Amino acid sequence: MSEFADLCIVNGRVFDGRVRTASTAVAVQNGRIVEVGTDTAVLAHRGPRTRVIDARAGAILPGFVDAHAHAAFAGVERLSLDLTSADSVDGTVELIARAAAALDAAGDPDAWLTGGGWSHELFEHPTRQMLDEIAPDRPIALSDAGHHTLWVNSRALEIAGIDRDTPQPANGHVYHDQHGEPTGYLNEGGVELLAPYIPAATVEEMTAGLLEAQRYLWSLGVTGWHEAILGEFNGKADCTPAYLAAISDGSLRSRVSGALWIPAGTTLAEVPALVEHFERRRAENEAAGLPSSTCKAMVDGVPQGETAALLDPYCSHPHTGELHIDAETMCELAIRLDARGFALHLHVMGDRGTRVALDAIEAARRANGPGPRHHLAHLSMIAPDDTRRFGALGVTANIQGLWATTDPSMIAVVGEERSARSYPFRELVESGADLAMGSDWPVSLADPWQAIHVAVNRAHPFGPAAGLPPLDPSQALTLVEALAAYTSGSASLVLGAAGRVSVGERADLVVATEDPFELPEDQLFRLATAVTVVAGEVVHERVPAGSPDTRALPEPVEKR
């Protein structure tokens, strides 16, 4: 042969993105896969400078592609005040106090303390007084892990002019105590009241955050993703300039795409101008290397905040939630965007929100015929009749596998019967729907292995779901279905790529610490990513991997 491979991965077992194969090795040259087969066949490509990695009987599979992530914002949080590691109220407060002290030491008394990731599992309803004790004179605004809620102190409320007389916003709440004073807890539309006063991250800060996100995602085996919001949202600056900067200088090496943001409350009269604006932005972004042929809208909110749109009332209050975009406007958006080749990426969590989204896509299909692949994300609640519509309409289910566990907070607001029907993955598959999978990071963990464990088991041994019974095991995915959704399913949906381990494909690869097909299914959580390869280059190793006869890959670690 005229040229040698740059990289050979041997002694594994290949899952090619759709099926588990008999192949044990992969050879890579100039960023592309040139051989998939036996160790002997692959090592025939070895030359004096070829790097050989021993998979130690672990799986070799395509790089994971996260079909729904907020990577830029997550990275900024990781570099600022990240509260996701706290496992107690005291631990959360301690992290906030440390961050406040650091700002004091920096000598900027007016700087906002921002960050996020605090858990509703720890705080039923955090108050401004808790933050006032830490920093009474410095404004503090902290997003919850779901990024639908803000916890702020009295100074932040004062700056925003939010008091007992502030009218309740559309699609959200400013919560008050028994005396009628704001508690410092705001969600959905309430966040929008305060968001304009919070200093937005600079392009430099967002770019640094994006690269931190890339590094972290590589450690999990994620080699590509779909940025779920390109645009201003909840006071956060548009992260598009950060993506364009990192693409321009070559520091963003993962394959990415993004969804142009449709603001909540968009009206029917605004649709034509918005579509024209999106066409201009798509052309500009794609010329710079950022595919942007998707448009994202939040059709409704979240059940736990009682802002998801339901067909029947919530348990505790006689209301059915709210639509962030009314049904008529959603239909017009779908028809016009579909006609111009945009795919819709719609956040839906309530069964009424899901029905409105499906009705809009059905209207687009009637008006325009076959078109782009629209996808609905989250899908917490779906009426049975609507589940069967996915396949017929060609709608992809963009699922967050990690969420499909028994959730006491969900039971509290919608009741046991409706909660038990949540995340009906098997029904979606049987409808003929294609599957993609994402994390919604930083709303939840970005680790694909943990999401795959839950998708297969409908339960998780750690975190809030630990010890609870599985969530309707009849709705579980098979291991093959879950792996395919997070690799080829997501890659084809959001990157227009095959996401396969096959000759000629770009070498975005993962080596797992073990072969998931050799593990009991209730032990899938043990899996971790040992090696990540992006375009043929090793970008992550848990420890440096050596030749087959000199070094073993590390043992798996228990995940929280």
Side-chain angles (χ1 to χ4, degrees):
M1 63 188 64
S2 59
E3 291 187 48
F4 298 116
D6 303 308
L7 174 68
C8 293
I9 305 173
V10 299
N11 190 24
R13 188 68 179 270
V14 173
F15 175 82
D16 75 354
R18 292 184 184 170
V19 297
R20 188 190 191 212
T21 73
S23 297
T24 61
V26 178
V28 176
Q29 179 183 320
N30 296 328
R32 296 280 170 181
I33 297 170
V34 294
E35 183 82 42
V36 181
T38 65
D39 288 4
T40 300
V42 163
L43 289 174
H45 293 265
R46 178 172 53 181
R49 297 184 179 178
T50 301
R51 180 168 183 194
V52 179
I53 290 179
D54 182 5
R56 291 294 179 180
I60 305 168
L61 60 155
F64 294 114
V65 175
D66 194 319
H68 184 109
H70 304 278
F73 300 148
V76 169
E77 268 189 13
R78 284 178 62 83
L79 295 176
S80 57
L81 176 53
D82 183 2
L83 300 173
T84 56
S85 63
D87 57 7
S88 67
V89 171
D90 288 344
T92 304
V93 170
E94 181 179 353
L95 289 175
I96 298 168
R98 287 181 190 172
L103 284 178
D104 290 342
D108 188 351
D110 298 320
W112 283 69
L113 174 53
T114 60
W118 56 270
S119 171
H120 285 278
E121 300 295 330
L122 303 177
F123 295 88
E124 182 178 353
H125 193 125
T127 66
R128 58 186 169 85
Q129 288 87 351
M130 297 174 70
L131 297 177
D132 291 346
E133 290 182 8
I134 296 171
D137 300 319
R138 179 186 303 283
I140 302 177
L142 305 171
S143 296
D144 68 324
H147 291 72
H148 289 263
T149 301
L150 272 182
W151 174 22
V152 303
N153 67 349
S154 298
R155 179 63 179 136
L157 292 171
E158 179 186 353
I159 290 172
I162 297 173
D163 57 25
R164 64 186 301 136
D165 299 319
T166 299
Q168 288 293 345
N171 300 320
H173 302 280
V174 176
Y175 287 82
H176 295 80
D177 61 23
Q178 65 270 30
H179 305 296
E181 298 294 338
T183 63
Y185 182 91
L186 312 89
N187 71 5
E188 304 288 0
V191 173
E192 297 283 356
L193 295 179
L194 194 136
Y197 300 91
I198 303 172
T202 66
V203 174
E204 291 75 16
E205 290 168 338
M206 286 190 291
T207 305
L210 176 58
L211 298 181
E212 166 61 16
Q214 176 178 248
R215 183 204 63 78
Y216 177 66
L217 291 170
W218 283 348
S219 76
L220 304 175
V222 177
T223 61
W225 65 86
H226 184 61
E227 180 65 54
I229 294 179
L230 297 178
E232 295 181 2
F233 171 73
N234 270 4
K236 293 180 172 64
D238 183 2
C239 63
T240 302
Y243 273 93
L244 298 183
I247 290 169
S248 176
D249 67 16
S251 55
L252 184 62
R253 293 151 62 194
S254 294
R255 285 193 286 193
V256 300
S257 64
L260 303 173
W261 172 240
I262 302 170
T266 294
T267 66
L268 193 63
E270 294 170 331
V271 171
L274 184 67
V275 173
E276 288 185 10
H277 173 63
F278 281 174
E279 288 190 289
R280 291 193 298 272
R281 287 197 63 189
R282 174 173 60 181
E284 293 167 358
N285 288 349
E286 295 190 352
L290 178 60
S292 306
S293 288
T294 306
C295 300
K296 162 74 179 296
M298 288 179 61
V299 178
D300 64 352
V302 295
Q304 291 83 348
E306 299 189 2
T307 55
L310 305 186
L311 294 171
D312 296 306
Y314 284 93
C315 293
S316 56
H317 299 95
H319 71 103
T320 57
E322 300 156 329
L323 294 170
H324 288 193
I325 296 176
D326 69 75
E328 184 181 10
T329 301
M330 196 66 249
C331 281
E332 186 68 12
L333 279 164
I335 292 168
R336 287 178 177 264
L337 289 168
D338 177 272
R340 288 160 176 78
F342 285 102
L344 293 171
H345 177 166
L346 301 180
H347 161 121
V348 289
M349 297 196 77
D351 46 13
R352 180 161 61 102
T354 304
R355 179 168 294 176
V356 166
L358 290 170
D359 288 348
I361 292 170
E362 184 172 359
R365 288 284 174 261
R366 286 198 305 267
N368 304 325
R373 290 176 61 187
H374 304 301
H375 43 121
L376 304 189
H378 311 327
L379 298 167
S380 301
M381 301 172 65
I382 315 174
D385 288 346
D386 289 327
T387 307
R388 293 187 278 270
R389 300 170 67 189
F390 277 72
L393 290 173
V395 176
T396 297
N398 185 335
I399 62 175
Q400 284 59 62
L402 191 66
W403 299 1
T405 62
T406 299
D407 182 352
S409 66
M410 184 84 159
I411 294 172
V413 294
V414 302
E416 290 192 14
E417 183 178 349
R418 284 186 289 181
S419 179
R421 276 199 45 80
S422 57
Y423 306 105
F425 296 163
R426 176 55 45 199
E427 291 181 17
L428 288 166
V429 171
E430 291 175 354
S431 84
D434 290 331
L435 297 183
M437 204 182 301
S439 65
D440 204 7
W441 184 54
V443 172
S444 56
L445 298 177
D447 187 348
W449 293 116
Q450 304 311 305
I452 288 165
H453 175 98
V454 175
V456 172
N457 290 278
R458 307 284 287 189
H460 200 278
F462 307 112
L468 297 175
L471 176 67
D472 189 1
S474 71
Q475 294 298 322
L477 298 180
T478 67
L479 177 57
V480 167
E481 289 168 339
L483 287 170
Y486 229 130
T487 56
S488 60
S490 291
S492 64
L493 177 69
V494 300
L495 300 180
R500 304 290 301 279
V501 181
S502 59
V503 173
E505 293 298 325
R506 173 169 144 147
D508 289 345
L509 301 167
V510 166
V511 178
T513 49
E514 300 177 80
D515 184 346
F517 293 95
E518 298 297 329
L519 288 176
E521 287 188 341
D522 65 357
Q523 295 296 302
L524 292 172
F525 69 88
R526 289 168 39 186
L527 289 156
T529 295
V531 177
T532 305
V533 178
V534 171
E537 182 178 349
V538 176
V539 296
H540 165 75
E541 297 174 84
R542 297 181 73 210
V543 297
S547 62
D549 58 346
T550 61
R551 191 169 309 195
L553 294 174
E555 293 298 316
V557 296
E558 187 174 282
K559 303 297 182 64
R560 68 178 181 88

